[in-house]
Amino acid sequence: MSNSIYLEYNFKVTPVQPASDILIAELGEVQFESFVETEDGVQAYIKKEEWYPNILDDLQILSNPLFSIDYDFSEIEQENWNATWESNFNPIQVGQQCVIRAPFHEKPKVEYDIVIEPKMSFGTGHHETTHMMLQHILEHDFKGKSVLDMGSGTGVLAILATMKGAAAIDAIDIDNWCYLNAMENVERNNCDHINVYEGTADLLVDQQYDIIIANINRNILLEDIPTYVKCLKKGGILFVSGFYKEDISQISERCKEVGLKFEKNLEKNNWVAVKYVF
């Protein structure tokens, strides 16, 4: 993986919001795997092997008259990611309790200090979905709980759950770079109770959890929610995010079909993070 080549797209977007969020969602559907939000738009990254010349042709936002989007792109080697990361990343504070920072940032005086270096992984806490999932975790009791973090990215959600007292956590991501990066971040934060795996929901055989966290996207959630419920203990909690407010009805209908009840929703810039109980 260390020699993988990525393409870096620099998008200049007007107006920046909500266009940047829509752009990120559409890019994610065509295999872009990491994003950095900038003052004037988005930097997006895709493996060169996944790229093809007309990859942006199906992006509806590029032809939307409400937005103006210009872009260019260039090749970068994966090891050059750190320089990009350090030039763009600022610490994130979630409430008064939690800060997510890089190793080069000053140590804050908060209850939960999470140090990550995400490289090519998604889930720094900057994006609304990750931020709201962190809020959900901060608001709930994780002491002694068994937890599954699906689409774990950097591992930041699993790390906070551990810091809140979770007894055992499985963190799963389909992407190899996310898997390797989560392993690094778990070790960096001394989280001995997190087991990191590379794969999909197919790994969930005969597993049982008190709490399941899934920050992925609407289509994967709709497909995998029945699998999650098979792994959820009675009275357990499912937190899901990675989709828009208008998708809640579809997600909730799927959850209702398998015995889950809607309990709470967080919303930020039209992104949502929803709590269901079993």
Side-chain angles (χ1 to χ4, degrees):
M1 288 299 294
S2 60
N3 294 323
S4 294
I5 302 298
Y6 275 75
L7 297 180
E8 176 188 79
Y9 275 73
N10 288 285
F11 293 92
K12 292 188 177 180
V13 182
T14 306
V16 173
Q17 290 296 351
S20 290
D21 286 342
I22 298 170
L23 177 62
I24 288 171
E26 292 194 10
L27 288 170
E29 295 292 330
V30 292
Q31 304 305 314
F32 280 78
E33 64 180 58
S34 185
F35 309 93
V36 175
E37 296 188 58
T38 64
E39 290 184 359
D40 56 3
V42 174
Q43 289 176 328
Y45 298 86
I46 185 171
K47 290 178 183 175
K48 188 176 180 180
E49 63 198 58
E50 301 284 350
W51 181 86
Y52 48 93
N54 60 339
I55 193 167
L56 302 184
D57 285 1
D58 292 331
L59 268 62
Q60 296 181 16
I61 191 171
L62 295 183
S63 58
N64 190 322
L66 298 176
F67 307 117
S68 173
I69 302 177
D70 297 315
Y71 65 89
D72 56 37
F73 68 93
S74 59
E75 287 189 9
I76 61 168
E77 293 190 10
Q78 207 167 52
E79 54 262 31
N80 292 336
W81 170 248
N82 284 347
T84 301
W85 161 242
E86 292 190 18
S87 68
N88 287 285
F89 181 66
N90 294 314
I92 306 108
Q93 182 156 342
V94 185
Q96 300 300 313
Q97 298 171 277
C98 178
V99 167
I100 302 157
R101 63 182 177 92
F104 53 84
H105 291 135
E106 184 178 349
K107 182 177 175 63
K109 295 181 179 179
V110 293
E111 187 173 0
Y112 306 112
D113 173 32
I114 301 175
V115 181
I116 63 171
E117 194 160 355
K119 299 181 181 177
M120 282 291 179
S121 301
F122 179 79
T124 63
H126 283 94
H127 195 271
E128 287 87 345
T129 59
T130 310
H131 195 279
M132 288 185 292
M133 292 294 259
L134 291 164
Q135 285 181 271
H136 272 309
I137 294 171
L138 287 172
E139 292 173 2
H140 287 80
D141 178 19
F142 278 73
K143 190 171 182 179
K145 305 294 186 182
S146 55
V147 179
L148 169 65
D149 180 7
M150 283 298 300
S152 52
T154 61
V156 65
L157 300 179
I159 290 168
L160 180 58
T162 298
M163 291 181 173
K164 288 213 66 189
I169 300 181
D170 291 335
I172 301 175
D173 201 290
I174 194 172
D175 182 76
N176 178 259
W177 191 249
C178 290
Y179 161 75
L180 295 173
N181 184 220
M183 292 280 286
E184 294 175 3
N185 290 326
V186 164
E187 183 177 357
R188 186 187 303 276
N189 289 274
N190 300 311
C191 294
D192 298 333
H193 301 306
I194 300 177
N195 298 307
V196 183
Y197 302 97
E198 179 182 352
T200 67
D202 291 339
L203 295 177
L204 302 176
V205 179
D206 298 325
Q207 302 295 319
Q208 288 286 289
Y209 303 97
D210 296 302
I211 299 172
I212 296 177
I213 302 164
N215 183 17
I216 309 179
N217 65 53
R218 182 195 64 186
N219 292 338
I220 292 177
L221 289 171
L222 288 171
E223 181 179 347
D224 288 349
I225 281 172
T227 301
Y228 301 157
V229 170
K230 291 178 182 177
C231 301
L232 195 61
K233 296 177 183 179
K234 194 62 181 177
I237 298 171
L238 173 66
F239 295 110
V240 291
S241 192
F243 53 94
Y244 295 115
K245 182 179 179 180
E246 50 265 32
D247 297 320
I248 290 180
S249 59
Q250 195 173 3
I251 295 290
S252 291
E253 182 62 30
R254 178 56 57 87
C255 287
K256 184 179 178 181
E257 290 172 359
V258 292
L260 290 166
K261 180 182 178 182
F262 173 93
E263 185 163 294
K264 184 177 181 180
N265 172 47
L266 298 178
E267 180 183 345
K268 189 174 183 181
N269 294 330
N270 206 43
W271 293 95
V272 292
V274 189
K275 174 186 177 183
Y276 296 93
V277 294
F278 187 40

